[in-house]
């Protein structure tokens, strides 16, 4: 079976104003037109309307960086799936280690978010990954398997075949310290094995698994060529036009 469509997904985090965001994607869309990789920009909520408008007719898709699982109600400061869907959002990044650490997101919350995102007709990009301590303790596989197993509870095989999983070792995020290609491939392979166990080989072959953590123009090609790595979730380098363009065109 041929490899899955590679995804280059930017995670802007809390960066760029709405006007800076529009200016950025207006340049980006010409640079990445016709790319073989699927291009996604994960932008702050307030940037979404302008960015969606700007990327119309291009091959760039838009991701949100969070969502609440309830359809509506008294949740001050929160945003629902229906609101995002109404704007034209395709993907929602959930379970990022920064959200787990600073906003106390649990695997159970991530599971509820995944359910709500799929019900709304969007696709979750579910993040997982171990800390440096966990890697040193030798519990990376157990930790990541546990995170993903709980995040996917109750999802059907068909749904799992459409979601995106991002393996992001915490020690490699924003540190400039990329996991080696072998380390990244090993854990992405462990995740795919888990999907085989839970949903069967056909499903596991369809699910895209990204690597994230200091992905840059000069390491994307090698990482994305690994059998179990289907692209990258890119933080810092996705804020720079030249870098992100090169990551998208890693195979050129
Ligand atoms: P980084 O962030 O590329 O800046 O390491 C990746 C991420 O947190 O998704």
């Amino acid at each position: 079976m041929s490899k899955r469509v590679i995804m280059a997904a930017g995670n802007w985090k809390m960066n760029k104003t709405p006007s800076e965001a529009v200016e950025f994607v207006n340049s980006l869309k010409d640079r990445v037109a016709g790319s073989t990789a699927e291009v996604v920009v994960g932008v702050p909520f307030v940037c979404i309307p302008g960015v969606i408008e700007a990327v119309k007719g291009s091959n760039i898709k838009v991701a949100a960086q969070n969502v609440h699982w309830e359809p509506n109600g008294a949740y001050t400061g929160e945003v629902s799936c229906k609101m995002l869907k109404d704007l034209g959002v395709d993907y929602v990044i959930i379970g990022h280690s920064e959200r787990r650490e600073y906003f106390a997101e649990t695997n159970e919350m991530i599971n509820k978010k995944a359910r709500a995102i799929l019900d709304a007709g969007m696709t979750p990009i579910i993040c997982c990954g171990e800390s440096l301590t966990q890697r040193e303790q030798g519990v990376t596989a157990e930790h990541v398997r546990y995170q993903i197993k709980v995040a996917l509870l109750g999802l059907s095989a068909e749904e799992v075949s459409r979601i995106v999983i991002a393996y992001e070792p915490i020690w490699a995020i924003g540190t400039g310290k990329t996991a080696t290609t072998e380390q990244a491939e090993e854990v992405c392979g462990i995740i795919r094995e888990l999907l085989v166990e839970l949903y069967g080989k056909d499903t596991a072959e369809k699910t895209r698994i990204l690597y994230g953590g200091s992905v840059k123009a000069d390491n994307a090609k090698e990482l994305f060529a690994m059998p179990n790595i289907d692209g990258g979730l890119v933080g810092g380098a996705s804020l720079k036009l030249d870098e992100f363009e090169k990551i998208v065109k890693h195979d050129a």
Side-chain angles (χ1 to χ4, degrees):
M1 183 180 174
S2 64
K3 215 180 146 180
R4 299 148 290 271
V5 175
I6 295 288
M7 173 183 280
N11 174 15
W12 290 8
K13 312 190 180 183
M14 197 170 72
N15 291 292
K16 297 194 191 294
T17 63
S19 33
E20 287 165 352
V22 168
E23 197 186 326
F24 185 92
V25 293
N26 272 330
S27 303
L28 183 68
K29 65 183 178 187
D30 298 328
R31 289 166 175 248
V32 300
S35 67
T36 53
E38 183 177 3
V39 186
V40 178
V41 288
V43 307
F45 285 136
V46 292
C47 298
I48 292 174
V51 167
I52 296 254
E53 190 56 35
V55 301
K56 269 198 185 127
S58 79
N59 62 336
I60 300 176
K61 294 187 180 145
V62 177
Q65 299 174 16
N66 184 31
V67 75
H68 197 281
W69 59 86
E70 289 293 342
N72 51 48
Y75 300 99
T76 303
E78 292 294 319
V79 165
S80 75
C81 289
K82 202 172 162 190
M83 296 172 191
L84 297 178
K85 179 68 181 172
D86 185 71
L87 287 175
V89 168
D90 283 305
Y91 293 98
V92 187
I93 300 167
I94 53 173
H96 192 281
S97 62
E98 287 151 17
R99 293 216 54 90
R100 293 176 189 261
E101 182 179 352
Y102 307 135
F103 303 98
E105 259 186 44
T106 63
N107 293 320
E108 287 73 15
M109 288 156 78
I110 293 155
N111 177 237
K112 286 190 218 170
K113 291 180 184 199
R115 176 73 270 149
I117 293 163
L118 287 161
D119 286 344
M122 299 182 292
T123 303
I125 299 176
I126 304 176
C127 305
C128 61
E130 82 287 3
S131 65
L132 186 58
T133 307
Q134 288 165 330
R135 177 157 284 267
E136 287 169 354
Q137 289 168 337
V139 298
T140 297
E142 286 89 339
H143 179 70
V144 169
R145 280 173 59 94
Y146 178 70
Q147 285 182 314
I148 292 301
K149 200 167 176 176
V150 177
L152 302 186
L153 283 175
L155 304 194
S156 70
E158 189 278 324
E159 287 169 331
V160 170
S161 72
R162 289 188 281 118
I163 65 164
V164 180
I165 294 172
Y167 166 58
E168 301 201 304
I170 298 170
W171 48 272
I173 296 177
T175 56
K177 207 175 156 188
T178 320
T180 64
T181 328
E182 292 70 31
Q183 285 172 324
E185 167 63 15
E186 183 190 11
V187 182
C188 290
I190 286 167
I191 295 169
R192 202 171 305 283
E193 266 312 304
L194 172 67
L195 299 181
V196 173
E197 271 173 45
L198 297 174
Y199 301 96
K201 200 165 164 37
D202 284 358
T203 300
E205 285 296 329
K206 290 184 189 141
T207 310
R208 283 186 290 181
I209 304 175
L210 313 181
Y211 166 77
S214 301
V215 173
K216 298 184 266 303
D218 62 11
N219 59 26
K221 184 175 180 172
E222 204 190 335
L223 285 162
F224 300 178
M226 298 309 278
N228 283 299
I229 301 178
D230 307 312
L233 184 57
V234 186
S238 76
L239 298 168
K240 300 176 198 140
L241 276 171
D242 286 346
E243 276 280 311
F244 194 55
E245 178 187 353
K246 285 185 192 145
I247 292 168
V248 170
K249 297 180 180 165
H250 62 282
D251 54 350

